[in-house]
Structure formats: structure tokens, C-alpha cells
Amino acid sequence: MNKILLFILIIILNLTSTIFGSEFLKTQGQIIVNENNDKVILKGFGLGGWLVLEGYMWNCNIEHASTTRMENSILDLVGEEKKNQFFNIYRENYITEKEISFLSEQGFNALRIPLHYRDFSPNLGQFISNGFDILEPIIELCKKYGVYIILDMHAAPGGQNTSDFSDSDGEEAKLFTDINNQRWLASTWRYIAEYYSEETIIGAYDLLNEPVIPWGYSAELLRNIYERTIDSIRTVDPNHIVIIEGNWYGNDHTGLLPPFDDEMVYSFHHYIGGSTDTTTMYRQYKTDISLDYNVPLWVGEFGENSNYWGHNIKSFFERNNIGWSWWNFKSVERISSLFSYDITDEYQILIDYWQQGGIKPDTNTAFNGLISMANSIQFDSCRINLGLSMALIDTSYYYNHVPFSNFSPPGLLPAVNYDIGNHEITYFDNQVEDPNKFQEESTAWNDGWSFRNDGVDIQKDETNSREEYYVCCIENEEWMRYTMNSNKTGIFKMMAEISSFNSGSKLSVQIDSTLALGPINIPNTNGWTNWRIVELGDITISGKTEIKILANIGGFNLKNIFFEEVDLSSIPMELK
């Protein structure tokens, strides 16, 4: 009987796996629905730097670091064969089953994949299968784990803006100035749509990333391009949702209303403004587009900001039935990406050459640098931004916190290992987001731009060969919370590794919200990296314990916290 039940269960599981995504996503008024008419809010990440390159994600600092220029620079260093070998490894390592499994386990359900037209049509009227071959493994994995794919034309023929990420020449958005490029775009999308016309794990086609109409051309031109492209798609694929973005990097939908397809979603991108500054966004998109024309909205890109900012903004989106895609998925040593990877010593040679010029690395040196970078982007080598994941997907992020590490005293607790959670829950900092992104007033929420994506300022310690970080630039009233578990009740001597260039700084220690130690005077160590161990006092830790370190008066850095078990037998006992 047990074997029969097991057999039935296996059949049910297999059917469930097959059924997921067996029908197309559809629009229904202001929402997107699945085959059961259940509302679907697409939540995920954009795979920036995978098929369409951007220099800042590699920290390469090549002038106008477009896909073509970056590839040509690599070609110049290692030649065609090794260039192709590098990109094969890089693309295979960038996203694998481990990443997609992780996304699914966390609760994300979408990946926006930026495409380059030339992987499907290198010349007008010529079509190749390279793009399909690259996407096929990811499509199969997304089917397995229930993650929808949004195909995004990130680099269109001629370039839809003059920015490096469209792989333009940096001078002219030739998609708009050359009718042949417009025909090329339409025919490329027709080719893609015909191939994927029955592929239901693909949730939508994002037709054109961040178009910018050149001066002297009207908004009508962008609509004409969209109409021609959609007409081409509909000759082979009547089913998939089409997503259209507005002019001026996705945000000006003048001339694109009312909708001109039955399965249309309007998209905008959001990077600028504070996390509570949503009134204008609501009026411009929710009211003027979604409510007025009864169509769904989707945010193809938002991000490059703190966890706190991301949580507040995505909460606004979801309250208004707007799906979203965080930018970016994986970058080199970037705290605002979901995955970040370290710059290897071998790759640093190439960075130095690209930034400073000088003697060109020989072929072997350059190739070794590239391969070391390609290997460092593997899942197991990356640092996962668990704080960002929690901020974007965990509904308890607003009030809950979880330990960053499973620390149990005695021992050393790095100060940067404060709990994962929201501002004023796991930490307090005087700046927690950048409301002026891409403007002159832009300022970092993490002054050290290292390790974590919160308001806590974290600096990498460059004074030794070990990878160590410390909390820097601590200001008045800022604090961090640490949750630890002790297997037994004990008294511990608590110490802190501190540096300061000020006199008069003070800190306090709270245990389970009750003042335990302090305020304690912090010595002037005569240097921000001149570290000194300061004894804070004895505390009792029992079971699960929350410790808060508060800067009564700031002006110091904090590297490590030490807990040394006190031998109770050495403490004089008063007999009564």
C-alpha cells in the first residue's frame, strides 16, 4: 500500500511540474493573471552584464564601456579564440541551477533577461540560433523551478539611446534615425517570437529597453516602432504579453496611449527619489496610465540603492499590483547587487591596465585574469546579499530581524555581523538611502561601500592580507543589534576593537533593551586604523540574547567584539 501511495505521489508531483507555466500569462484589467485567473505579481531580477555588458559591473573603466568596446578590448588582449573561450566560461558561470534554485527558494518568480539583437540577427535579414542556444538551459531550469522569464531587448539595432548599455556608438541613437534599423528590430522580434510562440515559461516580451528619442523627432516615431514590432510578433505569436517602455529611459509615455494591443503592459523604470516619495509616481503611472486605461504596470528596473530603500519602494509597487525587477543580479564587488564577486589579483592587473594604461599585459597574463574573473562569479564564490533578498521578498522585514551569523560566546564577533533586517530594527544610521541617485547631490548610504547594503558604514581593512571589514564613521546615536545564542548561562568579559581620531567618544551596551554597560569612554587612538582593545565590562548571557551597541557620542570605528568567559571560581564569594 505504501508503495502504491508513493507511486501516486510521484505522478502527482510530475504532473504539477508539467502543469506549471502550461498556460500563458494574460492581462486582466490592471493585473496580470495565470491560467487559473490568479493574480501574478512578477518579482525578480535583471541579468545585467550577462549577454549585454556594462563596464561598471566589471569595474573595468573603459571609455563608453559598451558591449562592443569591451569585447574589442578583450579581443585586443587575448585574440579571438581565447576571447570566445572566456565568454563561454563567463556565461556558463554567471547563472546556473544554483542561482535559479536559490531565487525560487527565496520566493522570487521572475528573471528579466537583457538580449542583444546580434545574437539572433547579426545583419538585417540574417538569422542565427546563437541566442536560443544560450537561453535554452536557463529556460529549462526556470521551468523546473517555476520562474517566469521576461525577454528584454536591451541592445537594439543601431541603439535605442546613446548610452553604453544599448551598445550604441555613443553619438547617435540610430534605431530612430534609420528606418532599416526599425525593420531590423521588428524582424528580430518576429524571429524570437516565432521560436518561443508556445513557450509559456516566458511571461512577456519587453520590446525596447529605455528608449530615448533624439531631439527633433516626435513621440509618434516611438509608437510607430512599437506598432511595427508588435504587428510582426502577432503574425506568429498571438499569445505572449508585450511590454512597452516610455521615452526618456522608460518613463515618458507621451504618444503611447491608449493601448494598441490586447495583451499590453506599460513599464517604467525607477531609480530617483526617496523611498517615501511615491506621490508623483502614483499619479504619473498608476492614475494616468493603469487606472485611466485599465492596463497593468510593471517596473522593468529599479534599484542601485539600499535595502531600506528597496523594501519601501517594492512595497509601494505591490500595494498597487505592480510587478518589479531589481537591477542588478550580479556585479563585481557591488553591495546593491544580489550577488557580488571579488576582484582577484589576476583580474586586478587588467583593471589597472584599463584604468591607467601603461604596458599592455601579455596574452597569458590577460587570459589568466579574465578566467579568474569568470571563475569568481560562480555561485559558491559569490557573496549573497541576504539583506537585499529579505528586504525584497520577506513581508516580515519591516519588523523582524534574524542573526547574520550563528555566533555563540565565547569568541570574536565581527562588528559588521549585526543582524539582518530593517533600519531601526537591526541598526540605526543617520543616512539609510540615496534619494538623489544620479544627481550632483548623490551620497552613499554606506560610506565605505563594502560588505553590506544597509545604512551602516562599512570599510574594508586594507592594512592586512586577510579579508576583514569594520564599521566606520560612527555618528551620535547610531547603533547595531546582534542576536546570539549561548548553550549555557555564563558571565563574559566584553571587549571591543576600536579606533578613533577623536577625544570624548562614548558607547553603551544594552542587553535585551536594558542598559548593561556604559556610557564608556573611547580613547583617542591617534588614527582611524590604529586599533586598540577596549574593555567594556562583564555581562551575563543566557540562551538567546540581543546585544545593542550604541554610540552615545560618535567619532570612532568598530572592528570586532570579543567575549571572554569569566571563571566564576576566581570571583570572591561573600559568605552570609
Side-chain angles (χ1 to χ4, degrees), residues 73-83 363 366-367 370:
S73 179
I74 292 171
L75 177 65
D76 178 62
L77 287 169
V78 300
E80 184 72 23
E81 182 179 352
K82 284 183 166 56
K83 184 198 82 167
T363 300
F367 186 64
L370 291 169

Side-chain angles (χ1 to χ4, degrees), residues 327-340:
W327 191 267
N328 186 33
F329 184 68
K330 188 177 285 191
S331 303
V332 61
E333 294 189 355
R334 193 164 188 85
I335 60 173
S336 55
S337 296
L338 180 62
F339 295 96
S340 65

Side-chain angles (χ1 to χ4, degrees), residues 147-167:
V147 176
Y148 286 106
I149 291 172
I150 310 300
L151 295 181
D152 149 48
M153 189 60 72
H154 219 74
Q160 68 274 20
N161 55 51
T162 58
S163 300
D164 55 5
F165 53 79
S166 69
D167 201 18

Side-chain angles (χ1 to χ4, degrees), residues 100-127:
I100 296 175
S101 172
F102 172 82
L103 291 174
S104 179
E105 289 170 1
Q106 293 292 300
F108 299 101
N109 66 356
L111 280 177
R112 179 175 181 253
I113 303 182
L115 304 179
H116 199 301
Y117 72 91
R118 53 122 194 245
D119 289 325
F120 303 90
S121 179
N123 296 289
L124 178 60
Q126 178 188 4
F127 302 101

Side-chain angles (χ1 to χ4, degrees), residues 519-566:
I520 299 163
N521 293 322
I522 302 299
N524 184 341
T525 66
N526 295 312
W528 294 117
T529 55
N530 291 337
W531 299 99
R532 183 181 300 179
I533 306 296
V534 177
E535 187 171 329
L536 305 180
D538 293 347
I539 61 173
T540 299
I541 296 177
S542 176
K544 182 180 178 181
T545 303
E546 294 180 5
I547 290 180
K548 179 193 287 187
I549 296 183
L550 167 69
N552 304 94
I553 302 176
F556 61 94
N557 298 334
L558 179 62
K559 188 174 186 181
N560 291 305
I561 308 161
F562 302 92
F563 298 88
E564 184 178 291
E565 192 166 13
V566 175

Side-chain angles (χ1 to χ4, degrees), residues 302-320:
F302 81 117
E304 299 291 8
N305 218 307
S306 68
N307 298 338
Y308 171 84
W309 184 91
H311 173 74
N312 290 340
I313 293 294
K314 76 93 188 182
S315 297
F316 164 80
F317 293 153
E318 293 180 15
R319 287 195 303 270
N320 292 282

